[in-house]
Amino acid sequence: MPKKIYLSGGWGYGNIGDNAILKCTYDQLLTIASPDEIIVTSYDKGELRVHHRLEAEDSIHSQFSVRTFSRIRRRFWNIPNILDYKLWKRLNVAFLPAMKKHLQLISSADVVVLSGGGYFNSAWTGMMRAQFQTIEMAHRLNKPVFICGQTIGPFSAGEPQQLLREALKKVTGAGCRDDGSFSLVRSLSDRPDLAVKTADVVNLLPKPEPRPVAAGQKQIVGVMIQMFRGHDGPHGRSASGQIKSEADYLSAVVTGLAEFAKDKAVSLRFIASTSWDLKNCLKVYEALTEIGGIEMTPPRTLLNDEFISECQGVDMMISTNMHPVIIAATAGRPSMALSYSFKLNDYMESIGLSEYVLKIDDFSKDSFLERANDLFGRMEMAAATVQKSMPALVDKAKLNFASVKDALAKRA
């Protein structure tokens, strides 16, 4: 009997790391369903064609946010909680005709899967509310909903956290990829079995074949540097660090990288993991070019498979973003993190490298250089630590889909 899956997530926004999430999620779902039984939605359908050669439906978020009168529609976003289903359905179809199609798609599915990323928080309110809308539709249609490999939070005080509390009542299972998310869901739900501590699904990428190294070839250090921002803890912005401006941030990064690269005679490979970070990586690359004497590969727009290959092909990663670190780890490569979020701190701890974490707004050129030099000097030992950690992370990542498989088996 066919097993239909309605799949939505954080792709279609220009984040290649989240496209890696889609790749791993889709591969896992293919073990229990055929391609024509998986209904994929995306904020940008064209992005999925380019990166995955997949056809998708426009996501609820894309339909809600790009049409006219979106401000008016937001006034009705929470109507499902206060009106009976028939009136709610009529209003949604009246204000947003494409919503009718999603009702039909969810109605045809056996389960609804909301895969990972970090879109249940106050920074991505449009995406978060779209997820709440999907959960409400599935609940009204009596379909089980599984959240897989998510970071949840941080939230500002008030409405978003209360909306999450209400949404969690209608969710069948929630796989949380970090301790902060797991604790938050446990605190907001009266169902102790709802939250499961899992891992990011990108940990399921297969380990690549060993990279041949030519005589005299320099070791490759991957570099992903995002724009300056504060560090987020699970409950909101962390206390401000010593870096107060973007200029100071870029100065510490550029001077630290320059001294490290020259001293260790490495080749820097810039790997932008989002479309919006490409510009910032280019800014750092150009500043290093002006300094001179550093072997580098400039940042460029990458397809998903190229991004994975680039990240797995380094000897060591220096990144502000989480997915370059995860993908490097799948190849057994260690990383140093300039972390903007508790989710990256948690991942670095899970691979035994928490001592190589600096907060994105609380480091200096000297502390950057000290950590980078120390990791480089202990690279083989750090790589062994990462490799030892991966089997447990793979098992945790698979937990995201165990309940989905069980639910489909029961509905067969």
Side-chain angles (χ1 to χ4, degrees):
M1 182 177 178
K3 301 175 181 180
K4 284 259 184 186
I5 301 169
Y6 178 97
L7 172 62
S8 184
W11 38 82
Y13 296 90
N15 187 324
I16 313 177
D18 286 349
N19 274 289
I21 287 178
L22 172 57
K23 173 182 170 59
C24 293
T25 299
Y26 194 77
D27 287 348
Q28 283 295 304
L29 295 180
L30 284 177
T31 66
I32 52 178
S34 63
D36 59 349
E37 293 169 342
I38 303 173
I39 305 161
V40 184
T41 77
S42 177
Y43 189 79
D44 179 353
K45 296 191 297 185
E47 185 175 302
L48 266 62
R49 293 190 193 103
V50 169
H51 287 284
H52 307 281
R53 298 179 183 175
L54 274 178
E55 292 300 322
E57 302 287 345
D58 288 311
S59 70
I60 289 174
H61 185 205
S62 69
Q63 293 301 299
F64 185 78
S65 63
V66 301
R67 302 295 178 87
T68 56
F69 306 120
S70 61
R71 186 173 299 175
I72 295 174
R73 292 195 190 98
R74 288 191 181 93
R75 301 290 297 174
F76 293 92
W77 199 257
N78 296 313
I79 278 177
N81 296 323
I82 59 175
L83 295 178
D84 70 88
Y85 175 57
K86 290 182 179 179
L87 181 56
W88 165 76
K89 181 176 177 180
R90 285 200 299 271
L91 279 170
N92 267 305
V93 172
F95 278 98
L96 189 56
M99 202 67 77
K100 184 175 182 179
K101 184 172 188 179
H102 283 279
L103 285 164
Q104 293 169 342
L105 292 171
I106 293 172
S107 179
S108 72
D110 294 291
V111 299
V112 172
V113 175
L114 305 180
S115 192
Y119 296 95
F120 281 84
N121 59 61
S122 296
W124 290 85
T125 53
M127 172 61 164
M128 177 178 65
R129 289 172 182 269
Q131 300 283 57
F132 291 158
Q133 187 86 333
T134 306
I135 291 168
E136 184 63 34
M137 285 181 170
H139 175 69
R140 299 283 182 170
L141 294 167
N142 197 30
K143 305 293 182 179
V145 182
F146 297 93
I147 297 171
C148 296
Q150 270 284 347
T151 288
I152 298 176
F155 290 100
S156 57
E159 183 194 28
Q161 188 161 315
Q162 181 57 33
L163 289 176
L164 176 63
R165 187 189 299 274
E166 293 302 314
L168 289 174
K169 295 177 182 178
K170 302 158 188 175
V171 169
T172 311
C176 304
R177 65 183 180 180
D178 51 73
D179 287 328
S181 301
F182 177 73
S183 298
L184 180 61
V185 172
R186 291 288 296 269
S187 72
L188 293 176
S189 173
D190 58 4
R191 293 156 54 198
D193 61 338
L194 175 66
V196 178
K197 176 64 191 300
T198 62
D200 192 290
V201 299
V202 175
N203 288 287
L204 295 173
L205 284 173
K207 186 176 180 178
E209 294 295 322
R211 175 171 57 89
V213 180
Q217 181 176 321
K218 292 183 177 181
Q219 289 181 297
I220 300 170
V221 176
V223 179
M224 165 58 224
I225 303 296
Q226 67 169 248
M227 63 183 180
F228 177 62
R229 59 187 294 184
H231 179 275
D232 286 330
H235 303 291
R237 187 55 52 87
S238 303
S240 180
Q242 61 183 297
I243 295 181
K244 307 298 183 184
S245 70
E246 183 176 1
D248 290 342
Y249 166 70
L250 288 174
S251 175
V253 168
V254 169
T255 55
L257 273 174
E259 192 168 330
F260 168 72
K262 287 183 177 181
D263 182 56
K264 303 304 180 187
V266 298
S267 177
L268 302 183
R269 174 185 291 173
F270 282 84
I271 308 171
S273 65
T274 70
S275 58
W276 56 89
D277 287 321
L278 181 62
K279 183 182 295 186
N280 204 67
C281 284
L282 186 60
K283 189 183 297 185
V284 175
Y285 171 82
E286 289 173 345
L288 290 170
T289 300
E290 289 184 11
I291 293 173
I294 304 167
E295 183 177 308
M296 296 183 290
T297 301
R300 60 189 178 92
T301 301
L302 298 169
L303 296 177
N304 184 61
D305 288 345
E306 292 175 316
F307 172 68
I308 291 169
S309 178
E310 294 273 277
C311 291
Q312 289 186 327
V314 303
D315 295 294
M316 167 181 156
M317 182 70 73
I318 296 176
S319 179
T320 54
N321 291 17
M322 188 165 78
H323 282 113
V325 173
I326 295 177
I327 297 172
T330 63
R333 305 301 185 186
S335 294
M336 171 182 143
L338 291 179
S339 173
Y340 76 93
S341 172
F342 65 96
K343 63 185 180 183
L344 180 49
N345 298 39
D346 185 87
Y347 188 76
M348 288 291 286
E349 183 176 356
S350 73
I351 58 174
L353 299 180
S354 56
E355 64 187 294
Y356 298 109
V357 178
L358 296 169
K359 287 185 178 180
I360 194 170
D361 64 348
D362 196 20
F363 71 99
S364 64
K365 185 265 285 187
D366 291 337
S367 61
F368 179 102
L369 194 57
E370 184 271 327
R371 300 292 175 89
N373 283 338
D374 186 66
L375 179 58
F376 188 85
R378 301 173 58 195
M379 197 149 37
E380 287 189 12
M381 185 182 301
T385 299
V386 171
Q387 292 167 24
K388 186 177 179 180
S389 304
M390 288 310 297
L393 286 170
V394 168
D395 288 342
K396 285 184 177 180
K398 288 180 179 178
L399 286 176
N400 287 300
F401 305 100
S403 296
V404 177
K405 294 177 181 179
D406 288 345
L408 284 174
K410 291 176 182 177
R411 297 176 79 90

